[in-house]
PDB file of all heavy atoms in Angstrom:
ATOM      1  N   CYS G 320       3.119   0.869 -30.539  1.00  0.00           N
ATOM      2  CA  CYS G 320       3.267   0.864 -31.990  1.00  0.00           C
ATOM      3  C   CYS G 320       4.325  -0.195 -32.434  1.00  0.00           C
ATOM      4  O   CYS G 320       4.091  -0.935 -33.410  1.00  0.00           O
ATOM      5  CB  CYS G 320       3.644   2.213 -32.485  1.00  0.00           C
ATOM      6  SG  CYS G 320       2.339   3.485 -32.336  1.00  0.00           S
ATOM      7  N   LEU G 321       5.438  -0.226 -31.745  1.00  0.00           N
ATOM      8  CA  LEU G 321       6.472  -1.162 -32.110  1.00  0.00           C
ATOM      9  C   LEU G 321       5.984  -2.612 -31.877  1.00  0.00           C
ATOM     10  O   LEU G 321       6.287  -3.519 -32.621  1.00  0.00           O
ATOM     11  CB  LEU G 321       7.728  -0.904 -31.277  1.00  0.00           C
ATOM     12  CG  LEU G 321       8.488   0.382 -31.645  1.00  0.00           C
ATOM     13  CD1 LEU G 321       9.660   0.596 -30.629  1.00  0.00           C
ATOM     14  CD2 LEU G 321       8.989   0.403 -33.052  1.00  0.00           C
ATOM     15  N   THR G 322       5.221  -2.806 -30.774  1.00  0.00           N
ATOM     16  CA  THR G 322       4.686  -4.114 -30.488  1.00  0.00           C
ATOM     17  C   THR G 322       3.742  -4.624 -31.587  1.00  0.00           C
ATOM     18  O   THR G 322       3.764  -5.781 -31.968  1.00  0.00           O
ATOM     19  CB  THR G 322       3.916  -4.094 -29.146  1.00  0.00           C
ATOM     20  OG1 THR G 322       4.837  -3.678 -28.080  1.00  0.00           O
ATOM     21  CG2 THR G 322       3.368  -5.471 -28.820  1.00  0.00           C
ATOM     22  N   SER G 323       2.921  -3.716 -32.092  1.00  0.00           N
ATOM     23  CA  SER G 323       1.957  -4.109 -33.120  1.00  0.00           C
ATOM     24  C   SER G 323       2.696  -4.541 -34.399  1.00  0.00           C
ATOM     25  O   SER G 323       2.292  -5.467 -35.082  1.00  0.00           O
ATOM     26  CB  SER G 323       1.004  -2.936 -33.446  1.00  0.00           C
ATOM     27  OG  SER G 323       1.658  -1.813 -33.948  1.00  0.00           O
ATOM     28  N   MET G 324       3.803  -3.846 -34.737  1.00  0.00           N
ATOM     29  CA  MET G 324       4.536  -4.267 -35.924  1.00  0.00           C
ATOM     30  C   MET G 324       5.168  -5.642 -35.759  1.00  0.00           C
ATOM     31  O   MET G 324       5.195  -6.461 -36.655  1.00  0.00           O
ATOM     32  CB  MET G 324       5.635  -3.190 -36.270  1.00  0.00           C
ATOM     33  CG  MET G 324       5.051  -1.859 -36.740  1.00  0.00           C
ATOM     34  SD  MET G 324       6.315  -0.756 -37.369  1.00  0.00           S
ATOM     35  CE  MET G 324       7.130  -0.299 -35.843  1.00  0.00           C
ATOM     36  N   VAL G 325       5.751  -5.884 -34.544  1.00  0.00           N
ATOM     37  CA  VAL G 325       6.360  -7.187 -34.290  1.00  0.00           C
ATOM     38  C   VAL G 325       5.289  -8.281 -34.242  1.00  0.00           C
ATOM     39  O   VAL G 325       5.510  -9.414 -34.657  1.00  0.00           O
ATOM     40  CB  VAL G 325       7.137  -7.150 -32.983  1.00  0.00           C
ATOM     41  CG1 VAL G 325       7.758  -8.529 -32.671  1.00  0.00           C
ATOM     42  CG2 VAL G 325       8.240  -6.111 -33.018  1.00  0.00           C
ATOM     43  N   CYS G 326       4.096  -7.917 -33.770  1.00  0.00           N
ATOM     44  CA  CYS G 326       3.008  -8.903 -33.696  1.00  0.00           C
ATOM     45  C   CYS G 326       2.564  -9.317 -35.114  1.00  0.00           C
ATOM     46  O   CYS G 326       2.256 -10.476 -35.360  1.00  0.00           O
ATOM     47  CB  CYS G 326       1.832  -8.320 -32.924  1.00  0.00           C
ATOM     48  SG  CYS G 326       0.598  -9.498 -32.368  1.00  0.00           S
ATOM     49  N   VAL G 327       2.588  -8.370 -36.046  1.00  0.00           N
ATOM     50  CA  VAL G 327       2.261  -8.695 -37.427  1.00  0.00           C
ATOM     51  C   VAL G 327       3.343  -9.658 -37.982  1.00  0.00           C
ATOM     52  O   VAL G 327       3.027 -10.617 -38.713  1.00  0.00           O
ATOM     53  CB  VAL G 327       2.199  -7.432 -38.270  1.00  0.00           C
ATOM     54  CG1 VAL G 327       2.108  -7.755 -39.782  1.00  0.00           C
ATOM     55  CG2 VAL G 327       0.996  -6.577 -37.874  1.00  0.00           C
ATOM     56  N   ALA G 328       4.600  -9.381 -37.670  1.00  0.00           N
ATOM     57  CA  ALA G 328       5.667 -10.266 -38.122  1.00  0.00           C
ATOM     58  C   ALA G 328       5.531 -11.659 -37.524  1.00  0.00           C
ATOM     59  O   ALA G 328       5.735 -12.653 -38.260  1.00  0.00           O
ATOM     60  CB  ALA G 328       7.034  -9.701 -37.695  1.00  0.00           C
ATOM     61  N   PHE G 329       5.122 -11.791 -36.289  1.00  0.00           N
ATOM     62  CA  PHE G 329       4.917 -13.090 -35.730  1.00  0.00           C
ATOM     63  C   PHE G 329       3.770 -13.829 -36.396  1.00  0.00           C
ATOM     64  O   PHE G 329       3.825 -15.039 -36.649  1.00  0.00           O
ATOM     65  CB  PHE G 329       4.624 -13.000 -34.194  1.00  0.00           C
ATOM     66  CG  PHE G 329       4.305 -14.325 -33.556  1.00  0.00           C
ATOM     67  CD1 PHE G 329       5.358 -15.160 -33.181  1.00  0.00           C
ATOM     68  CD2 PHE G 329       3.003 -14.734 -33.317  1.00  0.00           C
ATOM     69  CE1 PHE G 329       5.122 -16.404 -32.585  1.00  0.00           C
ATOM     70  CE2 PHE G 329       2.741 -15.969 -32.722  1.00  0.00           C
ATOM     71  CZ  PHE G 329       3.791 -16.791 -32.384  1.00  0.00           C
ATOM     72  N   ALA G 330       2.675 -13.109 -36.714  1.00  0.00           N
ATOM     73  CA  ALA G 330       1.529 -13.760 -37.362  1.00  0.00           C
ATOM     74  C   ALA G 330       1.941 -14.353 -38.709  1.00  0.00           C
ATOM     75  O   ALA G 330       1.414 -15.385 -39.079  1.00  0.00           O
ATOM     76  CB  ALA G 330       0.428 -12.711 -37.561  1.00  0.00           C
ATOM     77  N   LEU G 331       2.872 -13.716 -39.402  1.00  0.00           N
ATOM     78  CA  LEU G 331       3.285 -14.192 -40.738  1.00  0.00           C
ATOM     79  C   LEU G 331       4.338 -15.297 -40.606  1.00  0.00           C
ATOM     80  O   LEU G 331       4.214 -16.365 -41.224  1.00  0.00           O
ATOM     81  CB  LEU G 331       3.825 -13.047 -41.554  1.00  0.00           C
ATOM     82  CG  LEU G 331       2.881 -11.892 -41.817  1.00  0.00           C
ATOM     83  CD1 LEU G 331       3.553 -10.785 -42.597  1.00  0.00           C
ATOM     84  CD2 LEU G 331       1.663 -12.429 -42.642  1.00  0.00           C
ATOM     85  N   VAL G 332       5.366 -15.117 -39.783  1.00  0.00           N
ATOM     86  CA  VAL G 332       6.483 -16.050 -39.701  1.00  0.00           C
ATOM     87  C   VAL G 332       6.084 -17.332 -38.996  1.00  0.00           C
ATOM     88  O   VAL G 332       6.584 -18.416 -39.339  1.00  0.00           O
ATOM     89  CB  VAL G 332       7.700 -15.375 -39.005  1.00  0.00           C
ATOM     90  CG1 VAL G 332       8.843 -16.381 -38.885  1.00  0.00           C
ATOM     91  CG2 VAL G 332       8.131 -14.167 -39.801  1.00  0.00           C
TER      92      VAL G 332
END
Side-chain angles (χ1 to χ4, degrees):
C320 292
L321 293 174
T322 300
S323 63
M324 290 190 289
V325 179
C326 197
V327 171
F329 177 80
L331 298 176
V332 178

